[in-house]
Amino acid sequence: MIRRADLEEREIKFLAPYAVKARLSHGRKYPEKEHEFRTCFQRDRDRILHSTAFRRLQYKTQVFVNHEGDHYRTRLTHTLEVSQIGRTICRVLGLNEDLIEAISLAHDLGHGPFGHAGERALTQIMKGHGGFEHNLQSLRIVEVLEESYPEFPGLNLSLEVLDGMKKHGSRRKKFPVYLEAQLADIADEIAYDSHDVEDALRSGLIEEAELEGLALWRDITSYILKKYASIDESQKRRLATRLLINRQAQDLISNTQKNIDRCGIRSLPDLGKTSERVVAFSREMTQLKKEWRSFLSERFYNHYRIVRMTEKGVRLIRAIFQVYLERPAQLPPTVVKRAKKEGLYRAVCDYIAGMTDRFAQDEYQRLFEPYERV
Ligand code: MG
């Protein structure tokens, strides 16, 4: 039988000296007895996986609003891809796989309906009322809003997982100290930079010919055509996505290992002493990705049909927010209760941020369509 103590022992023996170890965790806000079989990070991962917020990711927008098609990425499949990419790279670098899995699975919990457009709507409305940001909302979910445990609010996750979630996001200047947390950020980027282009091609909003201007794409497709004289379009698209992920992962692994050696990192405290982001792409890949990103943003994220789709979400969020504010008695009792404690704006914001695309659309119908049942 392999128990928690054995797993912890293995980590100490087999992981890199600068990996985070479950046995040396700083613990939880509300102290708990350790589990017999699972390490603290494995337990955190399971708590996140079984949370209500996690299941809702299934019907939340990544780029395409949920009802647009069954084969596009959703927040849930995106999250699983981030976790898989993160774990693979983690394993190669001798880092803690369970920790990155927990951070990755939680990283997008705070996204509201309709992706970044939905976030923009909530940010505007919450200006002057405490603000809104999806990363902070993810934390709020795991620290306050999930109500599954009688002993404490939220999920009472280990401090290392919370820390990784806190500093997630490229807008934050200061990067996280743990390599696992730095990696979770970048695994997120690798996942969406690669799968967004696959979804864009699948949708027909972008033609493959448009990608020819990108060095990274030219490189990959010329390799594919050399290897397979005839390959059908959809297989080519998928192979290209796989190669894209592979390229980035390989570059990240070798460059990160170089950085570890160059910065003389031999322990966790060494990481605190370096002023640079250790988990990073090579200069060459950074440049290729920059070109890639600006293409995606110009041609895909700002494609008129994508904008029309997401702006509809913005209007819908504004409308239902307004309806609740005007007459809070239309809110379910649990939300009214929270409003008494934390104020109406915050309670409505939490309620709407928790909604899936599907629920928000149904709720709009219920509130505005005269013949719809309430
Ligand atoms: Mg993400």
Coordinates of all heavy atoms in Angstrom, one line a residue, residues 9 57 121 139 166 196 208 214 222 293 308 325 332 365:
E9 N 7.5 11.2 0.6 CA 8.9 10.7 0.6 C 9.4 10.7 -0.9 O 10.5 11.1 -1.1 CB 8.9 9.3 1.2 CG 10.2 8.9 1.7 CD 10.8 9.8 2.8 OE1 10.0 10.3 3.7 OE2 12.0 10.1 2.7
L57 N -17.7 25.5 -15.8 CA -16.8 25.8 -16.9 C -17.2 25.2 -18.2 O -16.9 25.7 -19.3 CB -15.3 25.3 -16.5 CG -14.6 26.0 -15.4 CD1 -13.3 25.3 -15.1 CD2 -14.4 27.5 -15.6
A121 N -17.8 43.8 -19.2 CA -19.1 44.3 -18.7 C -19.1 44.4 -17.2 O -19.4 45.4 -16.7 CB -20.2 43.4 -19.2
L139 N -10.1 33.4 -7.0 CA -9.7 33.3 -5.6 C -10.9 33.4 -4.6 O -11.0 32.7 -3.7 CB -8.7 34.4 -5.2 CG -7.3 34.2 -5.5 CD1 -6.4 35.4 -5.4 CD2 -6.7 33.1 -4.6
K166 N -3.1 33.5 -7.3 CA -3.1 35.0 -7.0 C -2.3 35.7 -8.1 O -2.7 36.7 -8.6 CB -2.4 35.2 -5.7 CG -3.1 36.1 -4.8 CD -2.4 36.2 -3.4 CE -3.2 35.3 -2.5 NZ -2.5 35.0 -1.2
D196 N -6.7 28.2 -30.1 CA -7.6 29.2 -30.7 C -7.4 29.3 -32.2 O -8.4 29.5 -32.9 CB -7.2 30.6 -30.1 CG -7.8 30.8 -28.7 OD1 -8.5 29.9 -28.2 OD2 -7.6 31.8 -28.0
E208 N -6.7 29.5 -44.1 CA -5.3 29.1 -43.8 C -4.3 30.0 -44.5 O -3.2 30.3 -44.0 CB -5.1 27.7 -44.3 CG -4.0 27.0 -43.5 CD -3.5 25.8 -44.2 OE1 -4.3 24.9 -44.5 OE2 -2.3 25.7 -44.4
L214 N 2.9 34.2 -41.1 CA 3.5 33.9 -39.8 C 4.6 32.9 -39.9 O 4.4 31.8 -40.4 CB 2.4 33.4 -38.8 CG 1.2 34.4 -38.6 CD1 0.1 33.7 -37.8 CD2 1.7 35.6 -37.8
S222 N 5.4 23.7 -43.6 CA 6.3 23.1 -44.6 C 6.8 21.8 -44.1 O 7.0 20.8 -44.9 CB 7.4 24.1 -44.9 OG 8.3 24.1 -43.8
R293 N 0.4 36.3 -31.7 CA -0.6 36.9 -30.9 C -1.2 38.1 -31.6 O -2.4 38.3 -31.5 CB 0.1 37.5 -29.6 CG 0.4 36.6 -28.6 CD -0.8 36.4 -27.7 NE -0.5 35.3 -26.8 CZ 0.2 35.4 -25.7 NH1 0.7 36.5 -25.3 NH2 0.4 34.3 -25.0
R308 N -19.5 40.7 -32.7 CA -21.0 40.7 -32.6 C -21.5 39.7 -31.6 O -22.4 40.0 -30.8 CB -21.6 40.4 -33.9 CG -21.6 41.5 -34.9 CD -21.8 41.0 -36.3 NE -23.1 40.5 -36.5 CZ -24.1 41.0 -37.2 NH1 -23.8 42.1 -37.9 NH2 -25.2 40.4 -37.4
L325 N -30.6 45.2 -9.9 CA -30.4 46.4 -9.0 C -31.7 47.1 -8.7 O -31.9 47.6 -7.6 CB -29.4 47.3 -9.7 CG -27.9 47.0 -9.7 CD1 -27.1 48.1 -10.4 CD2 -27.4 46.7 -8.4
P332 N -32.7 35.3 -6.3 CA -33.0 34.2 -5.4 C -32.5 34.5 -3.9 O -31.6 35.3 -3.7 CB -32.1 33.0 -6.0 CG -31.3 33.6 -7.1 CD -31.8 35.0 -7.3
Q365 N -34.1 35.7 -20.9 CA -35.4 35.3 -21.5 C -36.4 35.4 -20.4 O -37.5 36.0 -20.6 CB -35.4 33.9 -22.0 CG -34.5 33.7 -23.3 CD -35.3 34.1 -24.5 OE1 -36.5 34.3 -24.5 NE2 -34.5 34.3 -25.6

